[in-house]
Each structure stands twice: as structure tokens, then as C-alpha cells.
Amino acid sequence: PTLPELSSALIAVLEGPERLMPFQDSGGVWTEGRGHTGKDVVPRVAISHEESVAFFAADQSHLLEMVANQPLYTAAAFVSFGYNCGAGALHAVLVGRDRIDNPRHTTDRRGIVQNGLISRRRMEKLMIDSGV
């Protein structure tokens, strides 16, 4: 597979089913599609599947560029991490200022530990450590 294919499949599984109606995630952030957030998410206004796909591609594009020099599975894990924690957090990990297994990356915006994030970080770390 290509990096965009693998990272898209990984994120789709980890983010859960596509949701066309905006909802508040565990941290209270308005979210739609496959985890898209931002000022363009309007509560109670549904998006189309095509809009969801476009947001998903756009949200990943910068992350894909950031890890283009990494091995495939390592890069896909980094994209998954960046998609969930943000490009700034990914940059900090890539330059060695932070670690993907930092416990703060397993909490929501309110500081509450999320079991799903613990599992996600473990899986991403295993993929990164594989060097593949």
C-alpha cells in the first residue's frame, strides 16, 4: 500500500465510523466526518460524505508531508498520531522534544485518561519501533 492508503485505513479504524452530523468528542470539541475539527464545523449542520472525504484528505495532507522520509509503517503511525494530537505535537515528537508515549497524549483536552488513547499510543509506538 501507499502511505496515504495505509494512514487513511489506520485512522479510519481508530477514529471510528464516519459521522456526517457534528458531535462533541470526549474533550468537548465539535467534530465531524472522520475526526475533522475546526472553525468550519457547525453544530447541528450535517456535511455530505463528499465533504467528509475532502476534509479527511486535507487534514492528512500536511502530516503526510511531515513524515515522507520515514519507512511506511512508521510514517503511517506518525500520521495517525498527528491526526489525533495535531501537527504541533507530531513536530515535537519528530524533532525529539516529546515522545509519542508521553502520558499526556493519552488524555482528552480535560486531562481525563482515555483507555482508547492508551491503546492507540501503544499500537502507534509498536509500529514506529518496528522500523518498517
Side-chain angles (χ1 to χ4, degrees):
T2 66
L3 175 56
E5 290 170 337
L6 183 59
S7 64
S8 292
L10 181 61
I11 293 167
V13 167
L14 295 172
E15 290 291 331
E18 176 186 63
R19 294 168 126 187
L20 302 180
M21 183 60 72
F23 65 98
Q24 288 183 290
D25 69 10
S26 63
V29 176
W30 283 100
T31 306
E32 64 192 1
R34 291 227 183 260
H36 176 71
T37 61
K39 294 178 182 178
D40 54 352
V41 178
V42 180
R44 295 176 288 287
V45 177
I47 59 172
S48 68
H49 169 71
E50 292 74 21
E51 289 171 307
S52 174
V53 170
F55 284 139
F56 191 48
D59 291 344
Q60 284 189 85
S61 64
H62 181 62
L63 302 171
L64 293 167
E65 292 171 11
M66 291 174 71
V67 300
N69 64 334
Q70 301 285 333
L72 180 62
Y73 289 95
T74 299
F78 277 136
V79 171
S80 171
F81 173 79
Y83 194 85
N84 184 242
C85 294
L90 175 58
H91 176 74
V93 168
L94 292 173
V95 299
R97 285 196 323 257
D98 198 359
R99 294 184 343 266
I100 200 166
D101 57 352
N102 183 327
R104 74 182 177 93
H105 298 307
T106 61
T107 64
D108 64 19
R109 283 178 161 77
R110 298 174 186 155
I112 299 169
V113 174
Q114 300 291 311
N115 289 332
L117 292 178
I118 291 171
S119 298
R120 184 174 185 159
R121 295 294 95 81
R122 284 181 185 158
M123 191 231 20
E124 291 162 348
K125 178 117 172 49
L126 286 169
M127 289 176 70
I128 291 164
D129 290 347
S130 76
V132 177

